[in-house]
């Protein structure tokens, strides 16, 4: 133990990147020692990675990476020599890089809770950089406790991901890669609150493990209000690529059939912001949606540029002057998107930049609309763009939008993971966000009003989640239905609108409706059609037994359910999901008088549908 600790402490002050200077000799047709190919198997071609003695920023060699057009392979430092971060340490990453042509690259610190098996943890940081034919040095710093938690992110791998387009190959050379740590003076006083330390009460599933599915409920007694806005659906734009609900000339191009909860890019349309707010109101009137529940986000969808606070104020003033009733303003959409693409997120280089904008927008909007509610864009697990942003902007926001997607490998996961375990992880994350906002805003009520979420699975081929059928097939339907079952009673959440109302017919992953085939419906449409008609105003407590998922940290009922009622008792609705691989005979006993009529609808499909 003494020898191990000594080695660990020495490693903290030395270079933690194995073979970071590429001076260790290696075969020319394989990744150099200390480096491992990562990503989809079909892209792991050793010939694309090697030690190059014809190009070097220092010494005699560099690391050469070649990405052929249309591929997505990349390198990480060897897991066998993973970097182990220490408590309250500051780490500095530096490297030199050049490319055969101008382009962009993502460099980051991939986190893992464990390595055997690989269990993902939040990244310690990622950076999009521009590269060119000349060597250029970059350096970045991260602090344990402020950018990541070592209790959670126990291991780090440095990764380099070329960002060549599908049509263009890219070749990179890297050299002098150094990751070195040292104790951070005063770090303990500046540490963020780790949400994993919050003591959360057990989640009430409404039934206990058992061999038979038998549930009882008394609809005469309400257990609390239903979060009816949990079944929202987000629109893309007022006049986006789908051409609905408005075309680029601002003319109505849709016979509206479903309500929505959020538009983004409202200040980035081909008409002025007043015209955009007018059209949002017109559409809300046509759909019958209360404008108080419509969230408007003004800035462009890629967070490439920010909208001036006075423009936000103009939008709020328009709503006030015309009596529209809009008062929920979400400042920015996924403002952290530079983490994964240099083409996005350029408006905000740091969380501090974004916080300054939120504070300025909040002041400008509240000056013309004191009752305005300001929304904060936060990342679901990145500390700087989540936890730190919440702390720095405290007092300026009224709701947060963490976009609680889940990101499984749909080609490897089974239904229990997709529908049950991943939802339990998302619900846990939401509950810890509630605790965080309450901790940082002790004198104000701040809630989650999430504006995007869904099953965002990948299959390792690089295909967009929008194009993958499992995200929108029966597992995607179950994932969404079960999420809403839990969301409908979640303390601290007042609404959630999943992604997205309109898409192309060739993109079924998140589709509800498509203008390509206006008389057809994606399966998720029918989920929301029936689900929202079953979210009655008051929840009813349930008890009983049912089959549970396999034993794990995220074990939960395979057959979650939600019972709601009208306050006068005239109607009771039951939403029941079955994520098992077999039909489940069930008994449901409702106390009280008999009902005059019963109607039921079942949505079902094969697992590969």
């Amino acid at each position: 133990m003494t020898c191990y600790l000594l080695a660990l402490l020495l490693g903290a002050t030395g270079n933690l990147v194995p073979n970071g200077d590429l001076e260790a000799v290696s075969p020319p047709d394989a990744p150099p020692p200390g480096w491992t190919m990562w990503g989809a198997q079909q892209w792991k071609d050793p010939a694309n990675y090697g030690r190059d003695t014809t190009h070097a920023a220092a010494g005699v060699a560099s690391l050469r990476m070649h990405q052929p057009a249309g591929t997505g392979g990349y390198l990480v430092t060897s897991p066998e020599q993973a970097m182990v971060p220490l408590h309250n340490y500051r780490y500095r990453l530096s490297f030199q890089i050049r490319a055969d042509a101008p382009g962009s690259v993502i460099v980051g610190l991939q986190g893992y809770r464990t390595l055997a098996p690989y269990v993902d943890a939040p990244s310690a940081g990622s950076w999009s950089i521009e590269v060119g034919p000349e060597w250029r040095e970059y350096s970045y710093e991260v602090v344990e406790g402020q950018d990541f938690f070592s209790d959670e992110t126990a291991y780090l791998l440095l990764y380099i991901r070329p960002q060549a387009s599908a049509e263009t190959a890219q070749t990179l050379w890297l050299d002098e890669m150094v990751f070195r740590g040292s104790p951070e003076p005063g770090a303990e006083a500046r540490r963020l609150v780790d949400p994993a330390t919050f003591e959360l009460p057990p989640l009430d599933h409404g039934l206990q493990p058992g061999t038979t599915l038998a549930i009882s409920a008394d609809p005469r007694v309400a257990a609390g209000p239903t979060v009816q806005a949990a079944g929202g659906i987000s629109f893309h734009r007022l006049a986006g690529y789908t051409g609905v609900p408005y075309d680029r000339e601002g003319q109505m191009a849709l016979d509206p059939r479903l309500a929505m909860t959020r538009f983004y890019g409202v200040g980035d349309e081909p008409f002025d912001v007043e015209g955009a707010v007018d059209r949002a109101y017109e559409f809300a009137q046509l759909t019958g949606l209360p404008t108080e529940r419509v969230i408007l986000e003004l800035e462009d969808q890629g967070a490439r540029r920010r909208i001036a606070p006075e423009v936000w104020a103009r939008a709020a003033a328009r709503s006030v002057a015309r009596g529209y009733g809009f008062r929920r303003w979400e400042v920015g959409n996924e403002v952290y998107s530079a983490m994964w693409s240099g083409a996005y997120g350029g408006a905000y280089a740091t969380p501090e930049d974004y916080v300054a904008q939120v504070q300025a927008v909040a002041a400008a909007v509240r000056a013309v609309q004191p009752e305005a509610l300001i929304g904060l864009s936060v990342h679901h697990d990145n500390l700087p763009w989540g936890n730190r942003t919440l702390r720095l902007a405290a007092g300026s926001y009224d709701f947060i939008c963490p976009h609680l997607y889940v990101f499984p490998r749909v080609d490897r996961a089974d239904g229990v993971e997709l529908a049950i375990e991943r939802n339990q992880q998302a619900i846990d994350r939401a509950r810890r966000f509630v605790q965080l906002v309450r901790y940082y805003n002790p004198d104000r009520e701040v809630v989650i009003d999430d504006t995007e979420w869904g099953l965002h699975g990948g299959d390792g081929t690089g295909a967009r989640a929008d194009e993958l059928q499992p995200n929108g097939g029966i597992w995607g339907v179950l994932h969404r239905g079960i999420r809403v079952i839990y969301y409908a009673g979640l303390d601290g959440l007042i609404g959630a609108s999943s992604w997205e109302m309109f898409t192309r017919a060739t993109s079924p992953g998140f589709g509800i409706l498509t203008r390509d085939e206006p008389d057809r419906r994606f399966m998720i449409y029918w989920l929301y059609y029936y689900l929202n008609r079953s979210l009655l105003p008051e929840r009813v407590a349930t008890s009983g037994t049912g089959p549970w998922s396999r034993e794990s940290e995220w074990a939960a009922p395979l057959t979650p359910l939600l019972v709601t009622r009208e306050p006068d008792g005239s109607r009771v609705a039951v939403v029941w999901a079955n994520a098992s691989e077999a039909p489940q005979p069930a008994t449901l006993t409702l106390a009280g008088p008999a009902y005059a009529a019963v109607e039921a609808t079942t949505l079902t499909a094969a697992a590969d549908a």
Side-chain angles (χ1 to χ4, degrees), residues 227 399-400 430 433-434 437-438 445-449 489-495:
V227 183
F399 62 94
I400 66 170
F433 262 122
V434 170
V437 296
R438 288 175 176 170
E445 181 184 8
V446 177
V447 295
I448 297 177
D449 206 354
L490 191 62
D491 177 42
L493 181 138
I494 65 165

Side-chain angles (χ1 to χ4, degrees), residues 50-62:
R51 180 174 180 266
D52 191 338
T53 57
T54 64
H55 297 81
V60 299
S62 64

Side-chain angles (χ1 to χ4, degrees), residues 275-361:
V277 173
D278 290 346
R279 287 171 175 83
Y281 178 74
E282 177 187 30
F283 196 80
Q285 293 299 106
L286 285 169
T287 58
L289 185 74
T291 51
E292 195 279 337
R293 287 300 303 135
V294 176
I295 298 173
L296 298 182
E297 189 282 313
L298 268 59
E299 300 187 359
D300 73 306
Q301 67 188 65
R304 296 177 179 87
R305 65 184 182 89
R306 65 186 75 182
I307 298 292
E310 54 267 28
V311 178
W312 286 89
R314 281 170 47 198
R318 185 70 161 196
S319 180
V320 172
R322 297 283 179 97
Y324 288 161
F326 295 119
R327 70 187 191 109
R328 297 177 185 272
W329 309 97
E330 178 186 357
V331 186
N333 172 69
E334 297 185 354
V335 297
Y336 40 78
S337 56
M339 291 194 305
W340 59 75
S341 173
Y344 293 89
Y348 304 105
T350 67
E352 287 76 8
D353 289 342
Y354 173 59
V355 168
Q357 172 76 343
V358 170
Q359 292 168 337
V361 168

Side-chain angles (χ1 to χ4, degrees), residues 11 16 99 148 217 255 299 326 339 372 389 400 496 516 563 569 579 590 601:
L16 300 180
F148 68 101
D255 174 18
E299 300 187 359
F326 295 119
M339 291 194 305
T389 302
I400 66 170
D516 302 341
V563 180
L590 298 178
T601 301

Side-chain angles (χ1 to χ4, degrees), residues 87-90 143-146 149 183-194 387-388 391-392 439-440:
H87 192 74
N88 284 340
Y89 261 57
R90 176 180 292 272
V143 180
E144 192 282 330
Q146 298 177 46
F149 294 117
E184 173 71 356
E188 190 64 34
R190 295 190 296 273
R191 287 186 70 83
L192 297 173
V193 176
D194 186 350
N387 195 322
R388 192 162 88 213
R391 185 183 71 178
L392 294 175
Y439 183 90
Y440 290 135

Side-chain angles (χ1 to χ4, degrees), residues 44 73 116 123 129 161 217 251 262 287 322 325 327 379 417-418 434 498 521 523 585 593 601:
K44 293 180 178 179
S123 167
I129 61 176
R161 184 191 292 270
Q251 300 301 307
R262 179 249 201 167
T287 58
R322 297 283 179 97
R327 70 187 191 109
H379 193 277
E417 178 183 347
L418 297 177
V434 170
S498 70
R521 306 287 179 267
M523 191 172 184
T601 301

Side-chain angles (χ1 to χ4, degrees), residues 62 112 121 153 182 345 351 608:
S62 64
Y112 291 93
T153 303
S182 60
D608 59 353

